[in-house]
């Protein structure tokens, strides 16, 4: 509105106020008392007073409105040359004043801002966590000593403006007015925003990092949730990730982590917080999620990870996920305590055999060995004092030619300091993490060969075959073949009675070194078996590059042959292709007589499992 228009309007208001006063006086004279009647006199003076009051109010309102408009005009003029957005708000949160900078910030014409609700014109969010910033929060900071509130405003072009907002409030009678000054600090704040993002996010996967996650976890614990919708924490550790790093280097490991992060991101809800905690560890904060639903989500994550296949330079890898679950109840004291509980549950999942989910229970956790280093110390102690025990399990021939053969797999167990038997699923993961598998492999070979020699001497006309498992560390160790030669010579064991087992995923991940090792040791007369074949879903073409003697069909297919028709077809396909390459087949996890008969009908050469024989002590 121009100054000429405002001046014209002021004159009109004053003329109307003067006419109202003259009209009231004229009406009083025309209707005045002619005969001294008292009631008429009262009416006359009351009418004169009321009309005068009305005229006075109109005149005063005209003058006050004129003064207010003049004041706002002066304010607008004062802030026109300042690039700070200033808005005035009434007690209903409606804008009665906005300068040009405020209009530009809101993307609305300056005249159209008047009368709008502040929250609709300026939808603000916290720069720290993205939560909405309400007008009440800004007005609560009124005062000279109060610091500015930092908020983010996204404009119509989807650009973010970082604002420092200060507030001044004034009570005027029954009404409160507020003035907000909003300084756009996006340009100078850009670098600090980037540093803030970097401080709270993982650069490799772009997920929240440990620091950002623990901050969100603290807030969730402080706020809490409804009893039936308490927050839930998942902590997961990827199984067999080290194999990817060892065979493909850190470039392969980094690419795998980026891809698996995308898999996890697709599974969690938008309200949840997904984070990479470091290395191959991830965590999820499931907001307002009861334990039953959390278990379903955790199992879906576990299956997604298990079904994921990572391809790197013609090699195929698959991993698993061990997951610990904690319900954040009122008794949860801190984020640190919650993380410790989740880590304990995850550790229990690994102890149970990996690719598992465990829910944290305080009583159970108090009896579990919490520190991984305890297991490592026990392994060191077992190596030094011969604290391992070897068991053997029969591998039975399924036709007349092989039914009388003596074929066994050696299985390793550990005796802890209390004399209790420790299964491999408990200590092998720790040994792999701390690069101790090579020492264990060498212990097994050095201690198995004397017992194997006694078996050979007991029946020289029917030599047995003993399968010994090898780790990735031994495959990649250039000194390992020489160690084997020395042990065979030392214990005078026929080389053909030793069969080294290498898992399919391990062999494919180290294809060149595995093939070289197989050829070198087969030259001495040793045999080789490809274990868990089918688990990695690798191409059968890899078999041509691995001159093994036996292909062990993964037990997951054998165990569910009758429940899943597809598994039956997989077992048949592996058996036929292995035979076409001149290799013998061994079916693992044969648990029933029915499965044994079906395998015999399919032409599988050997079977291993409880239907054939359970493990028993060897050495």
């Amino acid at each position: 509105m121009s100054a000429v228009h405002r001046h014209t309007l002021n004159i009109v208001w004053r003329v109307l106020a003067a006419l109202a006063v003259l009209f009231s006086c004229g009406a009083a004279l025309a209707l005045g008392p002619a005969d001294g009647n008292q009631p008429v006199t009262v009416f006359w003076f009351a009418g004169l007073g009321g009309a005068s009051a009305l005229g006075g109010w109109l005149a005063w309102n005209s003058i006050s409105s004129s003064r207010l408009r003049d004041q706002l005009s002066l304010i607008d003029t004062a802030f026109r040359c300042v690039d700070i957005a200033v808005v005035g708000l009434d007690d209903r949160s409606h804008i009665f004043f906005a300068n040009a900078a405020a209009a530009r910030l809101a993307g609305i014409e300056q005249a159209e801002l008047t009368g709008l609700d502040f929250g609709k014109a300026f939808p603000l969010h916290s720069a720290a966590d993205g939560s909405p910033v309400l007008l009440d929060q800004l007005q609560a900071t009124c005062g000279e000593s109060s610091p500015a509130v930092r908020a983010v405003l996204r404009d119509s072009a989807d650009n973010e403006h970082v604002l420092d907002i200060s507030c001044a409030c004034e009570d005027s009678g029954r009404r409160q007015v507020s003035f907000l000054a909003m300084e756009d600090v996006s340009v100078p704040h850009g670098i600090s925003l980037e540093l803030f993002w970097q401080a709270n996010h993982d650069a490799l996967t772009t997920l929240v990092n440990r620091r950002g996650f623990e901050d969100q976890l603290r807030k969730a614990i402080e706020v809490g949730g409804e009893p039936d919708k308490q927050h839930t924490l998942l902590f997961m550790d990827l199984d067999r990730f080290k194999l990817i790093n060892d065979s493909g280097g850190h470039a392969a490991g980094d690419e795998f982590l980026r891809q698996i992060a995308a898999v996890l991101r697709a599974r969690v809800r938008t309200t949840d917080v997904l984070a990479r905690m470091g290395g191959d560890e991830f965590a999820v904060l499931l907001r307002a999620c009861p334990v039953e639903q959390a278990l379903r989500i955790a199992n879906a994550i576990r299956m997604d990870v298990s079904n994921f296949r990572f391809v790197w330079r013609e090699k195929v890898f698959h991993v698993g996920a061990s997951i610990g679950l904690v319900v954040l109840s009122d008794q949860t004291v801190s984020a640190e305590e919650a993380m410790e509980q989740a880590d304990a549950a995850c550790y229990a999942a690994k102890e149970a055999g990996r690719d598992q989910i465990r829910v944290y229970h305080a009583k159970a956790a108090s009896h579990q060995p919490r520190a991984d280093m305890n297991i490592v110390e026990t392994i060191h102690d077992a190596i030094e004092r011969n604290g391992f025990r070897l068991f053997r399990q029969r591998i039975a021939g399924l036709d007349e030619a092989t039914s009388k053969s003596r074929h066994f797999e050696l299985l390793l167990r550990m005796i802890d300091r209390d004399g209790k038997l420790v299964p491999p699923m408990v200590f092998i993961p720790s040994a792999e993490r701390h690069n101790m598998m090579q020492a264990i492999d060498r212990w097994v070979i050095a201690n198995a060969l004397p017992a194997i020699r006694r078996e050979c001497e007991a029946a020289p006309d029917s030599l047995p075959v003993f399968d010994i498992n090898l780790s990735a560390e031994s495959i990649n160790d250039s000194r390992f073949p020489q160690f084997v030669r020395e042990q065979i010579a030392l214990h005078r064991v026929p080389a053909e009675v030793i069969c080294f087992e290498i898992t399919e995923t391990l062999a494919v991940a180290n294809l060149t070194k595995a093939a070289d090792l197989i050829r070198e040791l087969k030259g001495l007369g040793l045999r080789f078996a490809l274990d868990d074949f089918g688990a990695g879903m690798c191409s059968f073409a890899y078999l041509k590059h691995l001159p093994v003697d036996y292909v062990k069909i993964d037990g997951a297919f054998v165990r569910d042959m009758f429940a899943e028709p597809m598994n039956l077809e997989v077992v048949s396909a592996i058996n036929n292709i292995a035979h076409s390459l001149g290799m013998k087949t061994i079916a693992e996890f044969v648990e029933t007589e029915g499965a044994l008969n079906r395998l015999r009908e399919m032409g599988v050469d050997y079977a291993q499992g409880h239907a054939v024989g359970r493990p028993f002590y060897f050495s």
Side-chain angles (χ1 to χ4, degrees), residues 107-128:
I108 303 174
E109 292 294 331
Q110 188 174 356
E112 296 176 2
L113 269 177
T114 304
L116 290 183
D117 181 79
F118 175 77
K120 293 181 179 179
F122 297 93
L124 302 171
H125 292 84
S126 171

Side-chain angles (χ1 to χ4, degrees), residues 1 11 109 113 122 149 225 228 241 246 253 263 375 386 400 430-431 463 543:
M1 183 181 295
I11 294 174
E109 292 294 331
L113 269 177
F122 297 93
V149 175
D228 60 336
F241 171 72
D246 289 346
V263 172
I375 291 291
N386 285 334
E400 291 184 4
S430 296
L463 291 179
L543 282 176

Side-chain angles (χ1 to χ4, degrees), residues 8 73 75 110 154 162 182 190 194 198 220 283 288 299 319 355 433 461 499 540 565-566:
T8 303
S73 177
I75 294 174
Q110 188 174 356
R154 187 179 294 275
V162 181
M182 298 181 286
E194 182 179 352
Q198 291 176 353
N299 192 54
V319 299
D355 199 29
R433 283 196 296 272
D461 296 332
C499 178
F540 287 110
M566 178 62 75

